[in-house]
Amino acid sequence: MAILPIYTYDARVLREETRAIQKPDSRLVKLVVDMFETMRAANGIGLAANQVGQGLSLFVVDLSETDEKETRPLVFINPVLLDAGKNEIPLEEGCLSVPGVREEILRPERIVVRYRDMDFNENELVADGLLARVVQHEYDHLRGVFFTDYLRGLKKRLIFPVLRNIKEGQTKTEYRIVPVKKQAVLP
C-alpha cells in the first residue's frame, strides 16, 4: 500500500473528463487500495482517481467513521448518475483537493447511480443523506467539476485568494499534495 499525493485545485488532470475503465486488472486493484489508504490518511470520506493523478472513471467512498447507515467501503467504477431528485438541500462541503475551503452547496437529497464494482459487476444504488452527497461530489470530479464551481457572487470572490494560494502551493496540509504552480486564470 502507498499513500499517494493529492492533486490540488485546478490541476489539469482535475479539469479534464476521465476515461472509462475497460476491465479490472492488478494495477486497478493496487490503485483502489492506495486510494483508500490515501483518503483515510488525509481524513477524507471520498476520493476520485483524478485527485491522485489518474484520469480514470473511478472513485472510492468510506463513511464508516461517520454516523451514516452506510458503513462499508464502496468502489465506483464508470459511474453514471441516473437520477437526481428534485429536492435539493444545503450542506457544507470540503475537498481534499481544495484544502481549507468549506462552503454550503445545494445538491439533490436523493440520487440513483449505476456503476461497476471491483468484480466489474454492474450495480445500481439508491442513495440519500451523506452518501448521496459524497457520490455527487466525487462524480463531479470525474467530470472536471469542483464544488467551488457552484459558488456565485460574493462567496466566489471571497475564496478567490485562497484558491490562488492553493494553486501556487502556498497551502499547508497534513497530507501530501501536488500544487499547480503555473499561473492560470481562475473562474
Side-chain angles (χ1 to χ4, degrees):
M1 291 190 286
I3 296 176
L4 307 170
I6 296 174
Y7 285 67
T8 60
Y9 178 78
D10 247 9
R12 177 180 282 168
V13 70
L14 292 171
R15 284 297 186 182
E16 296 172 343
E17 195 160 328
T18 57
R19 62 189 181 282
I21 295 169
Q22 301 306 314
K23 62 179 178 152
D25 59 21
S26 60
R27 290 178 305 169
L28 181 65
V29 171
K30 181 177 179 353
L31 175 61
V32 167
V33 168
D34 290 348
M35 286 174 62
F36 274 116
E37 187 74 14
T38 301
M39 178 186 68
R40 291 176 182 133
N43 293 314
I45 55 176
L47 187 68
N50 54 349
Q51 288 182 274
V52 293
Q54 302 296 314
L56 300 172
S57 185
L58 161 72
F59 62 83
V60 298
V61 174
D62 186 356
L63 301 180
S64 62
E65 298 296 317
T66 70
D67 291 334
E68 287 294 304
K69 58 188 172 222
E70 182 61 61
T71 58
R72 63 189 165 106
L74 296 167
V75 177
F76 294 82
I77 299 171
N78 301 335
V80 176
L81 196 57
L82 299 176
D83 184 40
K86 305 285 186 251
N87 186 32
E88 291 187 332
I89 58 171
L91 190 66
E92 188 178 79
E93 289 186 30
C95 181
L96 297 174
S97 292
V98 190
V101 176
R102 298 194 64 79
E103 289 292 337
E104 195 170 85
I105 304 295
L106 275 175
R107 290 196 191 264
E109 182 176 33
R110 181 183 171 280
I111 62 162
V112 179
V113 62
R114 182 184 314 132
Y115 66 98
R116 293 196 177 272
D117 60 23
M118 285 304 292
D119 294 321
F120 227 60
N121 296 320
E122 191 168 84
N123 296 277
E124 202 167 285
L125 175 71
V126 177
D128 59 9
L130 184 59
L131 180 58
R133 174 72 51 159
V134 175
V135 167
Q136 290 174 83
H137 178 105
E138 301 307 329
Y139 182 76
D140 274 353
H141 272 304
L142 303 183
R143 299 177 315 122
V145 176
F146 285 91
F147 80 99
T148 55
D149 295 342
Y150 292 103
L151 299 175
R152 301 285 177 254
L154 182 60
K155 278 189 170 189
K156 183 75 168 193
R157 286 194 301 276
L158 287 174
I159 67 165
F160 180 84
V162 178
L163 297 177
R164 185 180 58 240
N165 287 343
I166 292 168
K167 285 177 64 167
E168 293 174 357
Q170 298 176 9
T171 301
K172 300 288 184 213
T173 62
E174 294 183 9
Y175 51 91
R176 290 185 346 175
I177 60 174
V178 179
V180 178
K181 294 190 179 183
K182 63 179 180 150
Q183 278 296 328
V185 177
L186 289 174

